[in-house]
Amino acid sequence: MSTKTAAASKDPYVLTADDVKEPPKGWRASLRFLGPGLVLSASIVGSGELIATTALGAEAGFVLLWLVVFSTLVKVAVQVELARWAIVTGQTALEGYNKVPPRIGRLGWVSLLWIVMAVVKVLQVGGVVGGLAAALSILFPIGSGPLEFTSLAIWTTVVVIGAIVSLYSNRYSLIELGAVALTVLFVLITCAIAFGLPATDIGYGLGDLGDGMRFALPAGAIGAAIAMFGLTGVTSDEITYYTYWCIEKGYARWVGPNDGSDEWKRRAKGWIRVMYRDAALSWAVYTIGTLAFFIMGAAVLNPAGLVPEGNEMITTLSRTYTDTLGEWASVGYLVGAVAVLGSTLWAALPGWARVAANAVSLCGGFEWRDAERRQRWMKVFTVLFPIAWGAAYLYFTSPVFMIQTGGFVGGLFLIAVTVAAWYLRRKEVDPDLRGSSWFSVALLVSSVLIAGLGIYTALGAFGVSVE
């Protein structure tokens, strides 16, 4: 093997025949090849679940429990479809978005929309930085009070610098290990408390759960419900960078370049099945976690009339623990909040750095498959994004508002992502690799629901009432 080929084979974005690998068969053999979905879970079980979902439970009570399951399930088919295309072609989501006509200069309309969304999403991730800074400020206050602005500013600076230093290398293996470790403990504790509430004085019963599955949508909770749909489960930005994680794990490289052979198709089907298992495992993790957060908000905060707002968000949310286990649990909650918000930041920063660098390459800044320049640009954005997020939080200082705004815009962008998934499926995925007829039905239903809610959201934004 030449030196050039050897170097290329180490780059997951370059497909060579020398890197092909036989796919494992069955769940047990596939376990060591899972990982992209776990990185996604670390990102998902964070701002949407800890903050938006608990806030919605506090605001609406159990009546919107059905929306939790609906929100996490409905977007999986689109996520899987875009990942299938990435595995088959070895290309990233942003490269795919840029192929969807019409185009304006170098960029397609979906890519341009992504750039707009990315600017607004600075608010959302800034809210995560703020929530993390608030939790640290309460645990280790600096100044005259636990939420003294000086304390928040110092801890925001610490969070920003910590994110840059710890993730500057941008190695996938480090990202995967850190994200999983930060998430597991808090999710386990949260689920134990949420599903153990019926044994306490602050409990809930089967009647509450039944009421929550009646598909009702109270008028006063419509805005929060739309934001939750955009935030919980896989969001448009997470669907986007899931393709990068699948490629960097090695799925596309192990399939190899498409030579049109039956062997290539067999390998592609095998690694796509591994991706199915990866997506299914992550769905189970973040759905259970989301249900737990919602139940705590509905069972504990709603009866007390507590809705998390502004910089008091973390203090209010800690009531889900202190009202159940006593004041001693406040520290445990805050440590858990640091872990879950930290895991979101840990997984989100490398994802955004990759997609932003990819956008620069599409604009002609560099060749994406030039590994050295790609890494250099990713490091640039690994520095710039945390600074922008921290500055946004210190300006707005309202994590709930910031996160829900990002969720609103992300919900709208889901329509564009869905259009791109269908376009790429029809144009670049071999019919033999498109999955079963059942999957096609699931993708169609998912797409219609996403489009319907997106249109409803857009009409509401322009003041059009839809009964």
Side-chain angles (χ1 to χ4, degrees):
M1 185 187 299
S2 68
T3 304
K4 184 176 181 179
T5 304
S9 69
K10 297 177 183 179
D11 187 346
Y13 294 97
V14 177
L15 308 185
T16 71
D18 297 312
D19 290 325
V20 300
K21 181 183 292 187
E22 286 299 308
K25 296 179 180 179
W27 271 93
R28 187 171 184 177
S30 298
L31 287 177
R32 71 187 185 95
F33 296 104
L34 306 185
L38 297 177
V39 176
L40 218 60
S41 294
S43 176
I44 291 167
V45 184
S47 61
E49 280 60 26
L50 175 67
I51 298 170
T53 307
T54 312
L56 184 62
E59 179 179 340
F62 279 93
V63 71
L64 289 180
L65 182 64
W66 66 271
L67 186 60
V68 175
V69 179
F70 173 80
S71 179
T72 59
L73 183 60
V74 74
K75 294 170 268 186
V76 173
V78 176
Q79 169 199 345
V80 166
E81 187 55 45
L82 202 57
R84 181 202 316 277
W85 169 82
I87 292 170
V88 168
T89 64
Q91 297 176 67
T92 65
L94 212 62
E95 290 178 293
Y97 295 165
N98 214 42
K99 296 181 179 184
V100 182
R103 293 168 60 88
I104 303 174
R106 284 180 171 270
L107 299 178
W109 68 275
V110 181
S111 300
L112 288 170
L113 278 181
W114 179 87
I115 293 172
V116 173
M117 183 194 72
V119 173
V120 179
K121 282 280 185 172
V122 168
L123 288 179
Q124 180 182 335
V125 192
V128 175
V129 171
L132 184 53
L136 288 167
S137 184
I138 296 170
L139 278 171
F140 308 104
I142 303 170
S144 60
L147 288 178
E148 170 77 27
F149 183 78
T150 301
S151 182
L152 284 172
I154 291 172
W155 278 115
T156 299
T157 303
V158 170
V159 169
V160 167
I161 294 173
I164 293 171
V165 171
S166 60
L167 288 165
Y168 191 71
S169 71
N170 263 296
R171 287 189 293 114
Y172 172 80
S173 58
L174 174 66
I175 295 163
E176 182 181 295
L177 286 172
V180 174
L182 282 167
T183 304
V184 170
L185 182 60
F186 186 58
V187 170
L188 289 177
I189 294 173
T190 302
C191 289
I193 294 174
F195 301 127
L197 280 175
T200 71
D201 293 335
I202 306 174
Y204 58 89
L206 292 177
D208 295 310
L209 297 179
D211 289 341
M213 297 304 292
R214 291 190 306 173
F215 302 102
L217 190 62
I222 289 178
I226 290 173
M228 191 183 80
F229 181 84
L231 281 164
T232 55
V234 284
T235 63
S236 53
D237 42 318
E238 287 154 352
I239 289 174
T240 297
Y241 51 69
Y242 183 62
T243 60
Y244 295 79
W245 302 139
C246 285
I247 291 172
E248 293 198 21
K249 183 68 176 180
Y251 295 162
R253 185 163 53 95
W254 296 330
V255 171
N258 185 356
D259 58 10
S261 67
D262 291 337
E263 285 296 301
W264 178 84
K265 286 184 180 180
R266 182 183 58 77
R267 283 196 308 274
K269 288 179 180 179
W271 285 110
I272 288 171
R273 281 193 292 271
V274 173
M275 182 268 293
Y276 280 172
R277 296 175 188 123
D278 181 76
L281 177 62
S282 66
W283 176 81
V285 170
Y286 62 70
T287 298
I288 292 171
T290 305
L291 284 168
F293 286 119
F294 184 89
I295 287 171
M296 286 197 299
V300 180
L301 298 181
N302 181 262
L306 297 172
V307 177
E309 295 178 348
N311 275 326
E312 299 303 317
M313 169 199 68
I314 291 294
T315 304
T316 303
L317 289 175
S318 70
R319 288 285 301 274
T320 61
Y321 279 66
T322 57
D323 286 2
T324 307
L325 299 177
E327 290 299 323
W328 65 268
S330 177
V331 173
Y333 169 81
L334 292 170
V335 171
V338 169
V340 77
L341 292 171
S343 73
T344 297
L345 195 59
W346 183 274
L349 176 54
W352 280 109
R354 281 157 172 75
V355 185
N358 205 175
V360 172
S361 75
L362 291 176
C363 292
F366 69 100
E367 168 54 45
W368 176 248
R369 283 160 183 79
D370 182 334
E372 185 177 341
R373 297 189 69 190
R374 183 177 69 233
Q375 187 70 8
R376 190 182 308 146
W377 273 103
M378 289 194 303
K379 288 182 176 180
V380 167
F381 285 110
T382 299
V383 174
L384 293 181
F385 272 123
I387 293 173
W389 296 335
Y393 168 65
L394 291 176
Y395 180 81
F396 288 99
T397 63
S398 180
V400 175
F401 160 76
M402 296 169 72
I403 288 168
Q404 288 186 340
T405 299
F408 181 87
V409 173
L412 289 176
F413 187 68
L414 265 176
I415 299 177
V417 172
T418 303
V419 170
W422 277 101
Y423 179 85
L424 296 170
R425 170 186 173 89
R426 183 171 61 88
K427 289 287 188 179
E428 299 191 3
V429 177
D430 189 292
D432 291 340
L433 302 177
R434 292 177 184 171
S436 67
S437 56
W438 283 107
F439 178 82
S440 298
V441 171
L443 180 61
L444 178 61
V445 171
S446 176
S447 303
V448 169
L449 290 172
I450 287 172
L453 190 58
I455 292 171
Y456 179 90
T457 303
L459 290 174
F462 289 102
V464 179
S465 177
V466 181
E467 298 295 337

